Amino acid sequence: MLRLAAILLIGAVAIGTLMPSADPASGGPESADRAQGSVEAYPIAVAALASEPRSPTISDGPDVRLRREADGHFYADARVNGTTIRFLVDTGASGVALSERDASRAGVDFASSRYQVIGSGASGEVRGEFVRLDSVELGEQRQSDASAVVLDTSDHSLLGQSFLRRFASVTIEGDSMILR
C-alpha cells in the first residue's frame, strides 16, 4: 500500500511539475521565471533559456549549491550509472523519475511494452516502468541499487526525496538551493 502511495505521489508531482500554470497572469513567455509548464507551453521562453549557459552544479566538499534557473526551478547535474543527467530537483517528489531519453543515455533497461499505470495526475493516467539504477551520484552523495521509474510522457528527469534524503538538509536561500 505504501508503494502505491509513493507511485501516485511521483506521478502526480511529475504531471503537476510539467503542466502549465492555471494562473492567466503567468501564462506567457514574459513570465517564464514563474512558468511551471511543459516546453511546448512556453516556446519563446524556452528558446531563450536554451541559448543561456546552464548554471553548473557546484560541489564544495559535502555541500552542493544549485542556482535557481530562469524558469524558477533548481536543476542538478547528477550521474546515473556514470552518465551525467540534468535533473529537475523536486523536493515534493517521493522518488527518482527518468525521462525515456535520459534512461536510454544511462543504459537503463526499460521498454515501453512493459509500461503500466503507475499513478494518476491532472492529465489522467501516468504510465511508466519501475527500474533499478546501478548508481545515482550528486556531490559526495552516492546511492547504489537505487529504485526509480521511467516515465513515458516526461521531458524532464526528477530528483526526489528517495535521493535527497541522503543530505542532512535541503535549504533555499534566495536564489540558491544548498544540499548539505
Side-chain angles (χ1 to χ4, degrees), residues 88-157:
L88 181 130
V89 179
D90 189 343
T91 59
S94 59
V96 174
L98 294 171
S99 68
E100 288 180 332
R101 180 179 167 271
D102 289 341
S104 292
R105 289 182 46 239
V108 175
D109 178 28
F110 74 96
S112 60
S113 62
R114 296 191 300 248
Y115 283 176
Q116 57 187 339
V117 175
I118 60 169
S120 63
S123 297
E125 294 180 339
V126 177
R127 297 180 55 80
E129 179 182 351
F130 289 100
V131 296
R132 302 298 297 180
L133 307 175
D134 293 336
S135 64
V136 179
E137 301 172 71
L138 178 59
E140 293 182 359
Q141 297 298 324
R142 183 176 199 278
Q143 183 176 8
S144 298
D145 191 33
S147 64
V149 64
V150 176
L151 298 173
D152 71 339
T153 59
S154 180
D155 293 329
H156 301 289
S157 292

Side-chain angles (χ1 to χ4, degrees), residues 19-119:
M19 292 297 296
S21 172
D23 178 5
S26 65
E30 65 279 359
S31 61
D33 59 329
R34 294 187 313 257
Q36 304 265 332
S38 67
V39 180
E40 295 80 23
Y42 302 99
I44 296 170
V46 170
L49 289 175
S51 63
E52 287 183 22
R54 290 181 167 178
S55 64
T57 300
I58 300 169
S59 295
D60 181 20
D63 293 352
V64 175
R65 183 175 294 268
L66 308 171
R67 187 183 67 150
R68 186 184 310 272
E69 297 288 334
D71 66 357
H73 296 292
F74 294 97
Y75 295 87
D77 296 325
R79 289 170 305 287
V80 173
N81 301 347
T83 301
T84 301
I85 303 291
R86 182 111 170 130
F87 281 94
L88 181 130
V89 179
D90 189 343
T91 59
S94 59
V96 174
L98 294 171
S99 68
E100 288 180 332
R101 180 179 167 271
D102 289 341
S104 292
R105 289 182 46 239
V108 175
D109 178 28
F110 74 96
S112 60
S113 62
R114 296 191 300 248
Y115 283 176
Q116 57 187 339
V117 175
I118 60 169

